[in-house]
Amino acid sequence: MSKCEQCIIRQLNSIKHLSREELVKMTNCKTSRVVKKGEAIFEEGERLKGIFCIKEGVCKVSKMSENGRNQIISLVTRGDLLGERSLISDEASNLKAVALNDMQVCFIPKEEILKDLSKNPNFTMSVLKDMAQTLKQADNVIVDMAQKTVKQRLAETLLKLLDKFGTNAENTIDIHLSREDIANIIGTATESAIRLLSDFKKKKIIEFKGKDISILDRNELDKIAQGF
């Protein structure tokens, strides 16, 4: 098991503000696990007993609406922390996290995190900043859903995925999302997402390589995202 004080992942999140002594204590109480593709890290309504640090892989964080549709709120990647909001509010999680590919995740118990939050102001401030950023992103999602067309949201999502994950050797966006996942990000039916993607393909804005998507015309996607 890797030690928190030697782990480079901590430099990517709030844990970088902990002292060596605090990191040694964290190492002694954390557990590591592999989460297989499609497996849930936690379920909506679950009471979280700690937070998760993503060492490798990507998961989708979603909420089920009353009509039974899954809305993907965010994609959480290597270096991110997960579950801190439920921990601090001491409420059951209102979100579900599912692995998009095989993941390595470290679990840090609630008692250890709350101890560090109460004793280390730099760590506390960093966690609060991350939560504020998450709230800002959630505000943007609400406004986009209300004011932008599905076509605009799809163009914007493709650009965000490109910026966040980059491209692989095949020149496709380096994240495997099903058509249903894409639909659940932009808040539409899977059939509508497939139809719009096919339309973008016909216009030579994107192309498909198997299930993966390659962006051919970023400028055109930018225009569509802005409503032109």
Side-chain angles (χ1 to χ4, degrees):
M1 184 173 74
S2 65
K3 296 180 177 180
C4 297
E5 62 272 24
Q6 293 169 359
C7 181
I8 58 164
I9 296 297
R10 73 186 162 87
Q11 294 301 334
L12 303 174
N13 60 45
S14 304
I15 293 172
K16 66 175 173 281
H17 295 288
L18 297 179
S19 68
R20 182 173 176 80
E21 187 189 345
E22 287 165 332
L23 289 167
V24 168
K25 283 180 185 167
M26 190 172 276
T27 296
N28 292 334
C29 67
K30 71 148 178 134
T31 51
S32 299
R33 65 184 256 222
V34 171
V35 184
K36 291 289 181 192
K37 179 181 176 179
E39 197 183 317
I41 299 174
F42 57 81
E43 299 281 352
E44 198 170 328
E46 191 178 323
R47 283 207 162 268
L48 301 187
K49 294 176 180 152
I51 66 167
F52 302 87
C53 179
I54 311 300
K55 196 168 181 189
E56 207 59 62
V58 183
C59 71
K60 56 183 176 183
V61 178
S62 64
K63 179 158 184 60
M64 189 69 78
S65 66
E66 284 178 13
N67 63 8
R69 178 179 287 164
N70 229 2
Q71 176 67 48
I72 294 177
I73 309 297
S74 64
L75 298 177
V76 175
T77 58
R78 181 176 186 263
D80 290 335
L81 295 178
L82 192 56
E84 64 267 50
R85 197 172 73 202
S86 299
L87 195 69
I88 291 165
S89 67
D90 199 28
E91 294 174 347
S93 174
N94 69 330
L95 302 170
K96 176 180 182 175
V98 174
L100 280 172
N101 46 30
D102 290 353
M103 301 179 72
Q104 283 182 50
V105 176
C106 290
F107 175 77
I108 305 154
K110 178 178 182 172
E111 297 72 30
E112 188 58 41
I113 290 295
L114 292 179
K115 219 181 284 175
D116 293 330
L117 284 169
S118 65
K119 289 181 180 172
N120 186 325
N122 289 336
F123 176 60
T124 308
M125 188 55 71
S126 183
V127 169
L128 286 172
K129 279 182 180 171
D130 283 349
M131 286 167 63
Q133 187 61 30
T134 303
L135 280 171
K136 181 181 170 183
Q137 286 164 358
D139 290 344
N140 290 340
V141 168
I142 292 165
V143 172
D144 285 353
M145 287 294 176
Q147 297 184 355
K148 293 186 177 178
T149 65
V150 178
K151 189 176 180 180
Q152 278 177 278
R153 296 201 298 267
L154 176 59
E156 191 170 57
T157 294
L158 291 174
L159 290 169
K160 281 180 180 170
L161 291 173
L162 180 65
D163 289 340
K164 184 164 185 159
F165 297 102
T167 55
N168 53 27
E170 297 285 305
N171 204 33
T172 61
I173 298 171
D174 200 15
I175 179 73
H176 298 286
L177 288 172
S178 68
R179 298 299 184 251
E180 186 183 2
D181 284 336
I182 291 172
N184 289 343
I185 291 171
I186 64 175
T188 192
T190 306
E191 302 75 39
S192 301
I194 291 168
R195 200 162 49 244
L196 280 169
L197 285 166
S198 298
D199 186 45
F200 285 1
K201 179 177 179 277
K202 270 184 213 146
K203 290 175 177 164
K204 297 195 167 25
I205 299 167
I206 63 171
E207 69 175 347
F208 303 139
K209 291 181 181 174
K211 290 280 180 192
D212 295 332
I213 295 168
S214 181
I215 308 264
L216 301 177
D217 192 340
R218 184 179 179 127
N219 287 341
E220 195 54 37
L221 269 187
D222 264 322
K223 282 184 194 166
I224 294 166
Q226 289 167 39
F228 295 121

